[in-house]
């Protein structure tokens, strides 16, 4: 699993929006609401990372960096 800090996730509804929109394409997505900035974890290859970042952005969330 790779972990990414993501801005804009404020609540469980935000986390569910990400999971519902992207899990079919990217597989299981885990959002840690205990950390700030929030941490999104998933199994993803480098070749799919830009697409994931772009789709997060389209949903209104900003990937900050991998941790």
């Amino acid at each position: 699993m790779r972990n990414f800090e993501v801005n804009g996730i404020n609540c469980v509804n935000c986390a569910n929006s990400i999971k519902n929109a992207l899990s079919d394409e990217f597989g299981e997505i885990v959002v840690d609401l205990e950390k700030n900035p929030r941490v999104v974890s998933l199994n993803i290859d480098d070749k799919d990372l830009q697409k994931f970042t772009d789709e997060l952005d389209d949903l209104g969330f900003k990937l900050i960096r991998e941790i």
Side-chain angles (χ1 to χ4, degrees):
M1 274 245 170
R2 294 172 72 178
N3 302 304
F4 304 91
E5 290 182 341
V6 178
N7 271 342
I9 302 172
N10 299 313
C11 63
V12 70
N13 290 333
C14 295
N16 287 337
S17 293
I18 292 169
K19 292 176 189 180
N20 292 337
L22 303 181
S23 64
D24 284 348
E25 186 169 359
F26 297 103
E28 180 186 6
I29 298 172
V30 177
V31 180
D32 186 346
L33 295 172
E34 298 296 315
K35 296 198 167 95
N36 204 359
R38 309 301 191 204
V39 175
V40 175
S41 303
L42 71 156
N43 290 317
I44 190 167
D45 295 325
D46 286 339
K47 67 178 178 57
D48 296 322
L49 187 54
Q50 187 59 52
K51 184 171 186 177
F52 178 71
T53 301
D54 292 343
E55 292 193 23
L56 264 181
D57 193 52
D58 289 346
L59 291 172
F61 307 104
K62 177 81 172 149
L63 190 145
I64 304 167
R65 66 184 175 108
E66 185 169 4
I67 53 172

